Amino acid sequence: MLETRAALEGDRTLAYATLAPSVVFLVLLAGVPTITVFVTAMQDIGMGDMSGPYVGFENFVWALTSESFYTALWNTFIWVFGSVSIEMVLGLGLALLLNKTFAVRGIARAVILAPYLVPTVVAVLTWRYMFHDIVGIINAGLIATGLIDKPLLWLNSESLAMTSVILVGVWKFFPFAVIALLGILQAIPQEQYEAAKIDGASSMQQFWRITLPYVMPVFLLTALLRTIWTFHKFEIIYLMTGVALSTQRRRCRSSST
C-alpha cells in the first residue's frame, strides 16, 4: 500500500513537472499581455506614446458614456453577423457542390480556395481599385448593365461602406468554411444515402435527415471560430475605409484652400 501511494506521488510529481513549462509559457504568452493592456488602459496615452499620467477608470467611463463607442460596437456586430452568416451559407453551398463528382472538380476547388491564399493587404488594395468611383470595374459593370446611371461612392458612403467591407471579408475568408465543411461531407458514409434512395427519400429529405445532422457540429464550430476571428479583424476595415476617408479629407482641405 505504501509502495503504491509512493508510486502515485511520484507520478503526480512527474506530471506537475512535465506541465510546468507549458503553464509558464501560457502565463507569459497570455497573462503578461493582458495585464499590460489593462494597465495601459488606465493611463492617458495616445498612439505611439506608451507613457502618460495614471487616470484610473476614466477611460472606461468615457467609453461607456460615449455615443461613438456604442455606434462602433453596433457597426462591429453588423460587420461580424453579416460576414459570418454569408460566409457560412456560401461555404456550405459550395462545399455541397464540390463534394459532387464532375469533370473539373479539382480546378474548381483550386479556384474557390485561392482567395484564402492571397495576402490581406493585396486583396484589399485590389478591391479598393475595383470599388473606385471613376476607374473601378464594379461601377463600370453596373453602369454597363443599366443597374445604375452614375458611379456610386462605395467607400465614402456610410450606407455602402459596410456593404463593401462585408463583401471583401466574405470573399477573403469563405474558403475556410468550404475547407471545414467539405472535410466532414466527405466523411459521411455513402451507405446511408444509398439506403435513403432505396426507401424513396428525395434529395431534400436526404439533406435534412442525413447531411445536415452530420455537418451541424462542424458548421457551428466553424461559425464560432469565424465569429471570434472576424470580431477583432481590423486591417480590412481600416485599409478599405480609413485610407479612403483620409484621402477624402485631404481633397476637401485642398478644395477649401
Side-chain angles (χ1 to χ4, degrees):
M1 187 67 180
L2 294 176
E3 294 179 357
T4 303
R5 182 175 300 177
L8 291 176
E9 289 295 335
D11 293 341
R12 186 177 294 110
T13 302
L14 179 61
Y16 288 151
T18 304
L19 291 175
S22 300
V23 173
V24 173
F25 179 75
L26 288 176
V27 170
L28 294 176
L29 186 64
V32 174
T34 301
I35 296 173
T36 303
V37 170
F38 185 75
V39 172
T40 303
M42 302 180 73
Q43 294 176 323
D44 185 14
I45 61 177
M47 294 293 294
D49 182 12
M50 298 306 296
S51 62
Y54 175 81
V55 296
F57 291 95
E58 290 185 10
N59 291 329
F60 297 94
V61 174
W62 173 85
L64 295 176
T65 57
S66 174
E67 183 179 353
S68 59
F69 170 78
Y70 292 100
T71 301
L73 186 62
W74 174 248
N75 288 335
T76 300
F77 279 115
I78 295 176
W79 148 252
V80 172
F81 177 79
S83 300
V84 175
S85 58
I86 298 175
E87 285 175 25
M88 297 309 302
V89 173
L90 182 62
L92 179 58
L94 291 175
L96 291 171
L97 177 62
L98 294 177
N99 194 42
K100 298 183 179 298
T101 302
F102 53 92
V104 292
R105 184 173 64 172
I107 298 177
R109 288 181 177 180
V111 171
I112 290 176
L113 299 181
Y116 198 63
L117 304 177
V118 179
T120 301
V121 175
V122 176
V124 170
L125 292 179
T126 302
W127 277 96
R128 275 176 54 83
Y129 280 110
M130 294 174 63
F131 279 121
H132 197 277
D133 54 339
I134 299 176
V135 298
I137 190 175
I138 294 179
N139 275 333
L142 294 176
I143 293 176
T145 56
L147 296 177
I148 59 175
D149 55 358
K150 61 180 181 180
L152 298 177
L153 301 176
W154 290 96
L155 303 180
N156 294 326
S157 171
E158 292 184 4
S159 58
L160 296 177
M162 181 64 72
T163 302
S164 303
V165 296
I166 289 177
L167 177 61
V168 175
V170 170
W171 176 86
K172 180 70 176 70
F173 296 107
F174 83 91
F176 180 83
V178 176
I179 296 172
L181 298 175
L182 182 60
I184 189 61
L185 285 173
Q186 293 179 340
I188 300 177
Q190 295 300 314
E191 294 80 5
Q192 296 196 20
Y193 290 108
E194 295 174 0
K197 291 179 182 179
I198 294 175
D199 292 338
S202 63
S203 299
M204 187 59 65
Q205 290 174 328
Q206 294 177 35
F207 174 78
W208 287 106
R209 299 297 179 87
I210 301 176
T211 305
L212 198 58
Y214 269 96
V215 169
M216 188 54 63
V218 177
F219 184 93
L220 295 177
L221 178 59
T222 305
L224 176 61
L225 292 175
R226 287 299 310 139
T227 299
I228 295 173
W229 295 339
T230 305
F231 195 84
H232 63 74
K233 206 67 179 175
F234 171 75
E235 63 271 22
I236 290 180
I237 297 176
Y238 178 74
L239 292 174
M240 287 290 295
T241 61
V243 181
L245 292 177
S246 300
T247 303
Q248 185 184 32
R249 294 191 189 100
R250 288 196 297 268
R251 289 176 179 175
C252 292
R253 288 196 296 267
S254 299
S255 61
S256 63
T257 55

